[in-house]
Amino acid sequence: MSLKPSTTITMASQRPQRARGVCGALPIGVLALAAGACFAQGDVSSCRREADDSRRLACYDAALGTEFGRSGTDPAAPSAAPGPLSAAVGAEPPTRPAARPAPGQDEMLAAVASKTWELAPETKRGTFVVRTYQPNFVLPAHWTSSVNLAPSTPTRGTAPSALRYKSVDAKIQISLRTKVVEGLLLPQADLWFSYTQRSLWQLWDTQQSSPFRSTDYQPEAIYVIPTPPPLAPLWAGWNWRMTQLGLMHQSNGQSGALSRSWNRVYAAASVDRGDLGLVLRVFRRLRDGSNDDNPDIARYIGDTELAAAWLPGLATAQVTWRTRLGSSSRGSIQWDLTYPVDRSRPQGLRWYVQVLSGYGETLLDYNHRQTSVGTGLTLFQF
């Protein structure tokens, strides 16, 4: 079938002194809702030892890639007015003295999260600048406990047996995004468009010409609403960074009994505290009328997703739980772990491990339960 137009989650934050190089490794969804450490450029631990206020601020500017001083001036010079970041987060009044102490953890986290999704005026990069979205990875060793050799749906029936697929294959994901409208409806709120493609490739099955077993296509529109500074602090150190509203399409481009597709809208909220981030997303499926490839898909994959991401240092870890409200018998749980190949270059290649148990690893297998384990590398991040 043809790809239908139309379309994910999680945030994380990180201690400032370790806020470098984890963006390309963040598991599925972490980058999607603003991670607290994604676009930090360098290590800020040395900045704390700088006694001179102006030099210390310049050090933070260089490390975080964000101006804490006044825009358009020498960062090493004392500023006579609050900078754009402080104005965005409401951290200081206009009468604040020119010489300021080093930014605290909350301010730095706000700066990094702001740069991830361009939440504040000084982080805006304009429209149609292509950036990565969900993790881009290749897992050449991907094993499943149960290969679905007879995919079926209530409306399309059962697909005839074709190739005898192996239980070990490769999993590949490419994901990009771009902002299409700035300042839409609400202050600093932007509209983004993303595209994600995920494939299972029978790389090791040379006898059958190494076919692609499944490919899912996922375009998505994402409306990002920054949380106004007075509303951001919640309780016990937690901060509400943003809200997202999304329209998501997902299909596999197949026909007949192998055809799968659906459209969903969702609302998501992301909060963080220190190096822990949480994102809750609630979906609602849009009706496809009488031409529905998979009318029962939400009963298997679910309509609610909760992701917890932890970034204690060089490593990243995330757990994502998908379920259906009122029913816990289906859904899935997924673990994603990463670590740099070279500890001195955490922004480079990273080892990636993904474990999933339950339903919906692919659209083709939405009603087929399995456990899969994949290992490989992240590809790139920009």
Side-chain angles (χ1 to χ4, degrees):
M1 63 170 287
S2 60
L3 178 66
K4 299 178 182 178
S6 306
T7 322
T8 59
I9 72 200
T10 310
M11 65 165 273
S13 55
Q14 185 166 334
R15 293 170 185 162
Q17 65 270 28
R18 296 174 178 173
R20 58 177 301 193
V22 298
C23 283
L26 291 178
I28 185 167
V30 174
L31 187 55
L33 279 190
C38 277
F39 285 87
Q41 301 295 320
D43 191 347
V44 301
S45 57
S46 60
C47 301
R48 295 181 172 182
R49 296 190 292 271
E50 179 60 59
D52 182 77
D53 289 335
S54 61
R55 294 180 182 273
R56 184 166 62 252
L57 289 173
C59 179
Y60 278 113
D61 291 343
L64 294 175
T66 303
E67 294 187 10
F68 284 91
R70 184 173 58 186
S71 178
T73 63
D74 181 356
S79 58
L85 173 67
S86 61
V89 300
E92 55 185 334
T95 56
R96 184 77 175 240
R100 294 173 297 171
Q105 179 175 346
D106 289 343
E107 187 173 341
M108 284 188 290
L109 287 176
V112 178
S114 178
K115 194 170 184 180
T116 303
W117 279 97
E118 304 177 21
L119 303 179
E122 72 276 9
T123 61
K124 302 296 184 183
R125 297 177 60 186
T127 56
F128 301 104
V129 178
V130 177
R131 305 175 71 167
T132 45
Y133 179 35
Q134 299 184 27
N136 293 270
F137 60 75
V138 56
L139 308 179
H142 179 260
W143 170 86
T144 179
S145 63
S146 176
V147 180
N148 188 6
L149 297 177
S152 65
T153 75
T155 56
R156 300 295 183 182
T158 301
S161 299
L163 301 177
R164 300 294 298 180
Y165 294 114
K166 294 181 177 292
S167 60
V168 178
D169 55 16
K171 185 174 183 178
I172 303 170
Q173 178 167 287
I174 301 295
S175 185
L176 302 171
R177 62 179 170 140
T178 187
K179 188 196 305 179
V180 294
V181 183
E182 277 192 352
L184 181 63
L185 301 179
L186 296 172
Q188 311 307 325
D190 300 326
L191 179 64
W192 296 72
F193 179 82
S194 71
Y195 175 77
T196 303
Q197 183 170 315
R198 188 179 308 115
S199 299
L200 293 182
W201 179 22
Q202 288 277 293
L203 175 64
W204 311 110
D205 190 359
T206 56
Q207 292 183 347
Q208 300 184 98
S209 300
S210 303
F212 279 83
R213 191 178 84 82
S214 175
T215 297
D216 292 341
Y217 309 93
Q218 183 175 301
E220 182 178 352
I222 313 162
Y223 183 49
V224 180
I225 308 170
T227 303
L231 301 179
L234 296 175
W235 67 94
W238 287 92
N239 290 281
W240 175 20
R241 295 298 179 195
M242 71 184 68
T243 301
Q244 291 191 351
L245 304 175
L247 173 62
M248 176 191 300
H249 168 78
Q250 194 176 25
S251 63
N252 67 352
Q254 300 274 12
S255 61
L258 296 177
S259 179
R260 306 285 186 273
S261 66
W262 62 333
N263 300 298
R264 292 179 287 172
V265 294
Y266 67 82
S270 61
V271 299
D272 68 78
R273 177 188 177 187
D275 51 20
L276 178 65
L278 300 175
V279 172
L280 175 66
R281 289 200 307 169
V282 179
F283 298 87
R284 182 175 180 83
R285 187 186 181 189
L286 302 178
R287 294 185 179 274
D288 285 340
S290 59
N291 190 32
D292 193 341
D293 294 333
N294 29 246
D296 58 343
I297 187 170
R299 295 207 298 267
Y300 288 91
I301 294 182
D303 57 13
T304 305
E305 183 176 78
L306 177 63
W310 183 45
L311 289 80
L314 291 174
T316 72
Q318 178 176 309
V319 179
T320 305
W321 176 49
R322 304 177 182 95
T323 188
R324 183 173 176 84
L325 292 175
S327 173
S328 59
S329 61
R330 291 169 180 161
S332 65
I333 187 167
Q334 178 177 318
W335 296 267
D336 295 87
L337 308 171
T338 80
Y339 196 80
V341 173
D342 183 349
R343 289 171 55 94
S344 66
R345 300 181 60 190
Q347 292 177 317
L349 288 175
R350 299 178 68 90
W351 301 112
Y352 199 107
V353 178
Q354 184 180 88
V355 181
L356 183 144
S357 181
Y359 296 87
E361 180 168 30
T362 68
L363 280 181
L364 191 65
D365 301 334
Y366 80 89
N367 54 1
H368 181 78
R369 185 177 182 86
Q370 60 188 312
T371 297
S372 65
V373 180
T375 60
L377 296 166
T378 58
L379 293 177
F380 51 81
Q381 179 72 34
F382 56 83

